[in-house]
Amino acid sequence: MEEIPQNIREKAIKATENLLPVKSRQQYDREYGIFGIWKDANAIVQITETVLMAYFQELSEKYSPNSLWTKYSTLRSTLMVYKNIDVSQYHRLISYLKVKSKGYVPKKSKVLEGEQIIKFIKKAPDDIYLVHKVILVMGVFGGLRRDELVKMTIDDIEDRGTVLVIKVPETKTSTSKSFAINEEDLGALNLIKKYAALRPAGIKERRFFLTYRKSRCTVQPVGKNTIGSVPTLIAKFLKLDNAEAYTGHCLRRTSSTLLVEAGASFEMLKQHGKWKSSSVAEGYIEESISSKNKVAKMIVNLVNSEVNSVSTIENSLMDNLQTIQNSVSAATSTITKNTDHSIVGSATFSGTFQNCNFYFGNKIG
């Protein structure tokens, strides 16, 4: 067999490594390293389905089914890249993960209602909560994740006077996205401009969100954890129950929920959230109160339609019966008795039946 030149090998290795996602490469390598440490600690040389079954059994004692699937996904990719092992063919392992997921209901962030958003914007003092308001309106109008808000720069925001056009940097799905906020949107335009005007002059930092204290912005950019805590702080200000349940994903979930409640189509919802998979978008529709009310109304309308149909048939039959009775009572007739004691005659009815001849064969004795 002809030996492959070293430069070709190096190019092939580099191409293979590029199969892993660039943005989450560190996470993939970290999970692969954790598995390697476990493998070495158990003196395992060859990676088989049985080995991975044992590994995920131990993981299941610490992690939720959702986390298990995430770890499976990262290991599937890294083992394919680094070891040329196709874990997707390990059907027993996949069945095991499905069984662990059965009946599991993942925790989801609570969402803010429209009235609560308006109340916070109007009631919360700007000297303390201005940055929280800007994060709220941008997160809700754009349906943004924490990372997208953290990475937003002043270059992503275009001021067109009565409208702001905002580009979303590096979405999770690597697709382009933008949204607009105009002067009629809950005063959001003025809030964003007010916050942007507080940016220190001559600052080199390009990130839009800077730490805000005592009505002033510092040069320190806002981190992911700070942005993630904003929904909880809003819930606490509004004195909502279980404020800690309003997590960092609250703004994105609130945005999608409000859009569905407003009657947005399925395709519009997918476009808004930039979801490639339909299952996530379907989840918001299934949870929508307006969708549930729409289904209930359809069922009620169907039942009422059937009831009205039966009632209409009954009324029609009653009308026809009354017509017959009226026709019979209004009839004029001539009746004669034959020698064989039968009765024959003719009658004229004022209604549905006209000029009817009749014969009764019973003899009269």
Side-chain angles (χ1 to χ4, degrees):
M1 180 180 295
E2 183 180 356
E3 185 177 351
I4 300 176
Q6 181 63 27
N7 66 323
I8 299 298
R9 288 179 180 274
E10 291 175 355
K11 290 180 180 180
I13 292 173
K14 186 176 181 179
T16 302
E17 290 178 348
N18 288 335
L19 295 175
L20 297 176
V22 176
K23 290 192 297 182
S24 52
R25 177 67 178 271
Q26 290 183 345
Q27 178 184 345
Y28 277 68
D29 286 339
R30 182 171 62 252
E31 287 297 336
Y32 180 74
I34 292 172
F35 172 68
I37 294 172
W38 177 88
K39 181 171 66 71
D40 294 340
N42 289 274
I44 295 171
V45 177
Q46 186 177 2
I47 300 173
T48 64
E49 183 173 20
T50 300
V51 169
L52 287 175
M53 289 282 288
Y55 179 64
F56 277 94
Q57 170 58 33
E58 289 190 19
L59 291 179
S60 68
E61 298 173 1
K62 300 178 182 179
Y63 299 98
S64 69
N66 276 2
S67 296
L68 292 180
W69 279 111
T70 300
K71 291 178 180 297
Y72 164 81
S73 177
T74 56
L75 272 182
R76 181 186 60 195
S77 298
T78 51
L79 287 174
M80 174 61 76
V81 170
Y82 298 134
K83 296 293 184 180
N84 198 27
I85 297 175
D86 188 1
V87 176
S88 65
Q89 299 302 311
Y90 292 172
H91 301 300
R92 283 194 303 143
L93 175 60
I94 295 174
S95 296
Y96 170 77
L97 294 175
K98 288 181 178 179
V99 169
K100 296 297 292 185
S101 299
K102 190 174 182 179
Y104 172 73
V105 179
K107 292 182 180 179
K108 295 181 179 180
S109 171
K110 299 186 72 173
V111 300
L112 294 167
E113 298 177 1
E115 293 180 359
Q116 294 168 341
I117 293 173
I118 294 173
K119 182 177 180 181
F120 178 75
I121 290 175
K122 290 184 175 181
K123 299 294 185 181
D126 283 357
D127 59 338
I128 300 175
Y129 294 102
L130 179 60
V131 67
H132 302 80
K133 292 181 181 181
V134 176
I135 290 172
L136 171 63
V137 296
M138 280 196 171
V140 170
F141 277 92
L144 304 182
R145 302 177 178 88
R146 288 187 300 173
D147 287 347
E148 293 164 348
L149 288 165
V150 169
K151 295 176 181 177
M152 186 173 292
T153 70
I154 58 175
D155 304 310
D156 297 320
I157 302 174
E158 181 184 354
D159 187 351
R160 298 184 181 178
T162 59
V163 63
L164 293 178
V165 178
I166 303 170
K167 297 178 181 179
V168 182
E170 297 184 27
T171 65
K172 184 177 179 180
T173 54
S174 301
T175 56
S176 61
K177 174 180 176 179
S178 62
F179 63 98
I181 296 178
N182 62 50
E183 60 184 2
E184 299 178 356
D185 294 333
L186 308 175
L189 184 66
N190 292 332
L191 285 173
I192 296 173
K193 288 187 175 183
K194 180 179 180 179
Y195 175 75
L198 298 175
R199 189 178 186 86
I203 184 176
K204 294 182 179 180
E205 176 63 55
R206 305 302 292 174
R207 281 203 273 177
F208 178 73
F209 286 106
L210 301 175
T211 301
Y212 179 78
R213 294 193 185 99
K214 298 179 181 180
S215 301
R216 297 179 61 185
C217 286
T218 71
V219 297
Q220 181 69 31
V222 176
K224 183 170 67 174
N225 292 335
T226 300
I227 287 181
S229 67
V230 167
T232 297
L233 295 175
I234 294 174
K236 287 181 178 179
F237 176 85
L238 296 174
K239 295 181 171 56
L240 303 180
D241 293 336
N242 195 12
E244 300 298 331
Y246 294 82
T247 68
H249 202 54
C250 169
L251 303 183
R252 183 168 169 81
R253 294 201 72 237
T254 296
S255 177
S256 300
T257 301
L258 291 176
L259 192 61
V260 171
E261 297 293 345
S265 66
F266 180 70
E267 290 303 320
M268 185 182 295
L269 179 61
K270 285 186 65 178
Q271 179 67 22
H272 177 69
K274 288 298 176 182
W275 289 299
K276 294 181 180 179
S277 169
S278 298
S279 59
V280 178
E282 288 171 351
Y284 288 102
I285 294 177
E286 290 173 359
E287 295 172 6
S288 166
I289 298 300
S290 64
S291 295
K292 295 180 187 297
N293 287 338
K294 187 180 295 185
V295 171
K297 188 174 181 179
M298 291 173 66
I299 293 174
V300 169
N301 288 340
L302 177 61
V303 172
N304 287 337
S305 176
E306 291 182 350
V307 170
N308 292 335
S309 177
V310 172
S311 178
T312 300
I313 293 174
E314 289 178 345
N315 291 336
S316 178
L317 291 173
M318 292 299 294
D319 290 342
N320 288 337
L321 179 60
Q322 186 64 45
T323 300
I324 293 172
Q325 291 175 339
N326 292 339
S327 297
V328 171
S329 63
T332 58
S333 61
T334 302
I335 303 174
T336 59
K337 180 179 179 181
N338 292 333
T339 55
D340 62 354
H341 302 291
S342 64
I343 297 175
V344 296
S346 63
T348 301
F349 297 89
S350 60
T352 304
F353 305 100
Q354 296 180 353
N355 300 325
C356 297
N357 295 322
F358 57 87
Y359 169 82
F360 297 95
N362 296 328
K363 293 185 178 182
I364 299 176

